[in-house]
Amino acid sequence: MSALLLAGGRVIDPANRVDREADVLLRDGKVTAVGPEAAKQAGAGATALDVKGLVVCPGLIDLHVHFREPGQSAKETIATGTAAAARGGFTSVVCMPNTSPAIDNAGTVALIQEKAQREGVVNVFLTGAITKAIAGEELAPIGSLKQAGVVAITDDGHCVQNNELMRRALEYARMFDLPVMDHCQDYALVTEGVMHEGYWSTVLGLRGWPAAGEDLIVARDILLAESTGAHVHCQHLSTAGSVAMLREAKKRGVPITGEACPHHFVLTDAAIAGSEKFWATDGKSIAGLNGSADARPAWPVYDTNFKMNPPLRSARDREAILEGLADGTIDVLCSDHAPHCDYEKEVEFDYAPFGITGLETELALSLMQLYHTKRLPLPDLLAKFTVAPAQLLKLAKGTLAPGADADVTVLDPDAAWTFRRHDSASKSRNTPFDGWPLKGRAIATIVRGIIVWREENRFASVQNEN
Ligand SMILES: [Zn+2]
């Protein structure tokens, strides 16, 4: 019998509307008690962790990560990806199916599940592809994917362009009670775009990825969700137009949800013109960073760590994403953790792959842009990392109710620290946030009652009660 008592923390459990100082007892992989009875029940032999002054919440869930295994294990593996998740405070991750081969059949699902069981330090959930080989031409066997255990279907990285095929996918998904997640990109409009189409793409001479390239597919998804009754979840929303349409559709009761990633509500396309331009224009509102006046990280113009899909947008779009998160239009926060090797990113902007890592910075950036700016109270912010993704994907996670899995994150929302890409547990280093002073971080990550990561030297007071 293993027991862990988290003593004296501020327990924030949005699923159960709890926000108070309390002890939490974890025993044999389950939450056993929250409140005064926790210490009483702990008994002899329990390990106690003094978490006074810290926040104790259900283990964070990131429903959008790319772990690259099988096929591209030079970028990331399940072992390194889950280690990065643990450091970021995440106890569960949901992997996208664009591995090589793609997760488009039950055999591949089983293979990755087995590997995750052996090598993962946090819970790994899988999504399946909408179409075979994510080619957008023929539906994947959605029923057998569901049976194999996928929690949603998506062609993430790609987008089904054929509206009729997408409609059939939604009809099947509804039949099998699976949400459909969509990477919203209209190929005809976006063509070879590499950054947001606007002032800076013109100045920098780079091909533009217009906002309408996302808006059109979000509009399509709303119409199809409404007509089929299937749940569609729009991934990594980046435009003001998407947020406005989602808000309106939700009011009408359309089964549609959305997510946002920190890079889209921290940075803008001005960042691709270099740090000087960014801090002088769109970076002003975050220039205070963690309070240190001299803290202004520098990067060159055309830095490929600022290249992602969808691209960084304008300041107006960034504001709309923040508003959408604050008023509940956008349900979920996630990273779109997309590792790439240095040699792949160290090329001309046009040729670099899209995407950045994010698991170890997303909590801090979310706290800085939403909680420390007073746009969202802490419980509402944590809901977007816990109960919201759990409900969306029907995972038995995201709660500290007695009997639930003992997945817990201990965090300090005020901790000031500087992120260094070389300290990352990820195998890849493609992050635009290297050297950024951040505010807020995970202190301990607990999966089924076992501490899988904790900040060194933080808990000198671990003791065995006798
Ligand atoms: Zn995507």
Side-chain angles (χ1 to χ4, degrees), residues 4 20-21 44 78-79 144-145 158 170 179 303 315 335 370 408 420 442:
L4 181 64
R20 63 187 157 96
E21 202 168 289
I78 285 163
S144 80
L145 283 167
H158 292 83
L170 262 56
D303 187 333
S335 66
L370 294 163
V408 181
R420 303 277 176 211

Side-chain angles (χ1 to χ4, degrees), residues 64 66 156-157 183 235-236 309-310 336:
H64 191 150
H66 299 267
D156 183 50
H183 166 120
Q235 298 180 284
H236 41 48
N309 182 354
D336 191 8

